[in-house]
Amino acid sequence: MSTSSIPAQYADTSSFSYHVDAAFYDRLDHYRDSFGEDWPSPEAATLAQATAFLVREARLVDEGRFNDWLDLFTDDCLYWVPVTSGGGEPRTEVSHAFDDRRRLTDRVYWLRTGLAYSQIPASRTVRIVGNVEVLEDAGGDTLVRSNFIISEFRAGVTKTYSGWYGHVLTRDGDGWKIRLKQANLLDSEQYHENLTIVF
């Protein structure tokens, strides 16, 4: 379908989305470029705070505390698992996951029903997060880059996933909330069965 055949009310995503518009994708371009750059060493206190935040997030997911995990995200958040390494071009390329707050809420609800066929029995996961780097962005956000290894056990089968995270954190009172979580799988472009776990 060509863009000229798309009805006008659907051509502009801002007409049915709270925040996914041209400026949203421009910010993703900025973050993608920033995650690919070399960063200076952060202050020790900021690095410790960012590491603690990532460790807490990892524990919430591994313990299946998905409502608490969802509370870590802003209203204008994005949870993104791209197929193209490093993010690619989300305007024209598919992703394993590209969830705004509403879709992420659906995902959490679905995981908590216990009725999702691909999660019967439910996966058990444990993850290690390391090599944390932090950059204070000129726009006021905090960018965090880290590596991860996730072990999943389900129905007698163990799988391992690895890659790197790109987090964009925004200040919320004394803490942070996640504006963007980009999980870049090492083998993102390879065939994967249902990726039903949270990365």
Side-chain angles (χ1 to χ4, degrees):
M1 176 184 290
S2 69
T3 54
S4 61
S5 63
I6 298 175
Q9 69 266 32
Y10 301 119
D12 178 7
T13 57
S14 63
S15 65
F16 55 89
S17 173
Y18 294 122
H19 64 279
V20 178
D21 53 19
F24 173 87
Y25 285 104
D26 289 344
R27 284 194 301 275
L28 286 185
D29 290 341
H30 167 70
Y31 296 142
R32 180 195 60 220
D33 294 344
S34 296
F35 284 134
E37 296 172 353
D38 291 331
W39 294 354
S41 297
E43 294 183 4
T46 304
L47 178 61
Q49 290 170 5
T51 301
F53 184 90
L54 296 187
V55 168
R56 172 167 169 71
E57 184 205 0
R59 185 163 60 85
L60 292 178
V61 176
D62 286 339
E63 293 178 356
R65 295 165 57 188
F66 296 117
N67 283 343
D68 293 335
W69 176 68
L70 187 60
D71 287 342
L72 295 179
F73 288 81
T74 64
D75 289 340
D76 63 346
C77 69
L78 176 66
Y79 169 74
W80 185 17
V81 185
V83 169
T84 301
S85 179
E89 176 46 82
R91 298 171 183 84
T92 58
E93 297 175 1
V94 298
S95 298
H96 294 295
F98 195 81
D99 298 352
D100 65 4
R101 178 68 187 226
R102 289 174 294 171
R103 179 67 186 99
L104 198 54
T105 301
D106 289 344
R107 182 182 294 273
V108 166
Y109 175 80
W110 171 79
L111 286 170
R112 297 191 71 239
T113 63
L115 301 175
Y117 176 76
S118 59
Q119 277 294 295
I120 300 175
S123 294
R124 291 183 296 191
T125 60
V126 64
R127 65 200 66 213
I128 298 172
V129 180
N131 292 24
V132 179
E133 300 174 85
V134 183
L135 177 69
E136 298 294 341
D137 188 61
D141 290 324
T142 300
L143 278 61
V144 184
R145 192 169 51 199
S146 61
N147 293 343
F148 67 84
I149 298 174
I150 302 172
S151 291
E152 175 197 19
F153 177 79
R154 192 182 80 79
V157 177
T158 301
K159 297 180 180 178
T160 302
Y161 304 94
S162 60
W164 64 274
Y165 290 131
H167 281 77
V168 176
L169 307 179
T170 187
R171 282 289 175 188
D172 181 64
D174 293 333
W176 277 314
K177 285 207 169 185
I178 302 169
R179 176 165 285 162
L180 168 67
K181 179 176 182 178
Q182 180 180 330
N184 302 275
L185 294 168
L186 186 64
D187 57 350
S188 58
E189 79 287 359
Q190 300 301 308
Y191 170 76
H192 290 276
E193 296 177 351
N194 271 340
L195 293 176
T196 55
I197 66 168
V198 169
F199 290 98

